[in-house]
Amino acid sequence: PIAMVLSGALMFRHLAEQKRNAKLNEAAQLIEDSVTRFLATGDRLPYDLGGRADTATIVEGLLRAMEQRPGQ
């Protein structure tokens, strides 16, 4: 699930460049930063990173990381 989420961020970056839209770039940054924060905790890692977390658990963790972004 992490790779799919990061692929979405790449798509936002591509669209931001094509459309010259800063909001899309901000969305990409939010996703990337949230993934970084989520993985930095070391809990609930996906199977491919040596953990045992299933997709639902990872998505919940990523959403929580998005809600707890710095500066809010």
Side-chain angles (χ1 to χ4, degrees):
I2 300 288
M4 187 183 316
V5 169
L6 290 175
S7 292
L10 286 173
M11 180 56 76
F12 278 134
R13 288 218 186 270
H14 172 73
L15 291 171
E17 186 176 311
Q18 294 295 312
K19 306 287 185 186
R20 302 182 197 281
N21 185 319
K23 290 288 185 186
L24 292 170
N25 211 27
E26 290 172 18
Q29 193 64 53
L30 170 63
I31 293 167
E32 292 167 353
D33 291 347
S34 297
V35 168
T36 299
R37 279 193 307 279
F38 173 73
L39 292 176
T41 66
D43 332 333
R44 300 163 301 187
L45 291 175
Y47 293 107
D48 60 336
L49 295 178
R52 292 178 138 23
D54 61 8
T55 301
T57 302
I58 292 167
V59 170
E60 288 171 12
L62 288 172
L63 290 173
R64 207 168 301 117
M66 283 184 180
E67 292 169 352
Q68 297 171 351
R69 63 183 183 249
Q72 274 204 321

